[in-house]
Amino acid sequence: MLKVLVLVSGGGTNLQAIIDRVNDGTIQDTEIVGVLSNNYGVYALERAKNAGIKAEVIAPKDFPDRSAFNKAFLEKLDEYNPDLIVLAGFLVVIPEIVIRKYEGKMINIHPSLIPAFCGKGYYGLRVHEAALERGVKVTGATVHFVDAGTDTGPIILQKAVYIQDGDTAETLQKRVMEEAEWKILPEAISLIASGKVKYSS
Ligand code: GRF
């Protein structure tokens, strides 16, 4: 049984996609052991509760400085003893100590076809604005293992999404989520749970 801990910051639609695929048996041999959010009051926490999954907040603002948060963050992750940590729209920079400890056991979803529109500063709507500004005709999403860089780890899955006439960053964000993110994130977890994908640095 793969023990999965999901980290969120917001609405939690990617979390919901994972919950749904575990519940309908598409993802096998997997248990979501917890959900951690860095923000209070976000809907992702409700989604976890509705699914009977333990959900907690660990917020940098509750600690005197970043190094105190980083230490508490690592301790909190360790409490769940996860086999896999899934960053599902998690907007906190993952500290080095966590990356080192969970190398090969942490994946992230990014809303573009890496290496386009990724790295420092590319998160949320900004990614889609940049794609539209550049005038690309195809964008998409990428699931990758997390390493010490920003969006630089080994790629597990990608899915393309076509830009449509009249797209705004908002419409594009929505379509990338529906057509790509909600599909490839559960699929990547399934591949890891079944041993079909293994990390090699
Ligand atoms: C997604 O677009 C994800 O790619 C990005 O943050 C968003 C999270 O949305 N990193 P949600 O909380 O899963 O609805």
Side-chain angles (χ1 to χ4, degrees):
M1 195 63 107
L2 189 82
K3 285 184 284 167
V4 175
L5 180 62
V6 185
L7 274 50
V8 298
S9 295
T13 60
N14 279 287
L15 166 67
Q16 190 66 55
I18 301 166
I19 293 171
D20 292 347
R21 296 292 82 78
V22 169
N23 288 345
D24 72 12
T26 312
I27 304 177
Q28 297 201 336
D29 300 318
T30 297
E31 183 194 358
I32 305 172
V33 292
V35 170
L36 295 181
S37 168
N38 65 301
N39 285 322
Y40 290 89
V42 294
Y43 194 59
L45 291 165
E46 290 302 312
R47 293 181 192 274
K49 278 181 204 138
N50 292 341
I53 300 164
K54 184 173 176 189
E56 295 185 76
V57 174
I58 177 149
K61 64 175 189 200
D62 292 337
F63 295 86
D65 55 35
R66 198 38 91 123
S67 89
F69 167 77
N70 289 349
K71 190 169 167 285
F73 181 49
L74 179 60
E75 283 167 9
K76 182 54 74 187
L77 298 176
D78 288 347
E79 269 178 32
Y80 286 85
N81 193 25
D83 300 311
L84 183 69
I85 295 172
V86 177
L87 308 181
F90 189 62
L91 291 177
V92 170
V93 175
I94 305 295
E96 181 100 30
I97 38 165
V98 169
I99 290 173
R100 248 185 278 123
K101 176 142 190 199
Y102 286 97
E103 188 179 356
K105 291 180 163 189
M106 193 183 306
I107 63 172
N108 179 49
I109 178 92
H110 182 78
S112 77
L113 295 174
I114 289 174
F117 314 117
C118 65
K120 251 193 152 71
Y122 285 99
Y123 61 88
L125 272 183
R126 178 70 203 124
V127 178
H128 305 290
E129 281 163 8
L132 291 175
E133 277 161 22
R134 184 61 187 85
V136 293
K137 305 299 175 202
V138 182
T139 183
T142 303
V143 182
H144 63 91
F145 284 106
V146 175
D147 70 3
T150 306
D151 303 324
T152 53
I155 290 171
I156 302 168
L157 287 173
Q158 293 188 300
K159 191 161 192 295
V161 173
Y162 285 92
I163 311 279
Q164 290 176 3
D165 286 346
D167 258 337
T168 61
E170 287 80 7
T171 61
L172 189 55
Q173 180 182 51
K174 185 164 178 280
R175 227 172 40 261
V176 167
M177 290 173 107
E178 287 169 357
E179 292 181 14
E181 295 182 41
W182 301 343
K183 296 193 167 127
I184 62 173
L185 187 55
E187 206 178 323
I189 295 169
S190 185
L191 289 170
I192 292 167
S194 62
K196 290 186 184 132
V197 163
K198 288 201 167 69
Y199 178 79
S200 87
S201 53

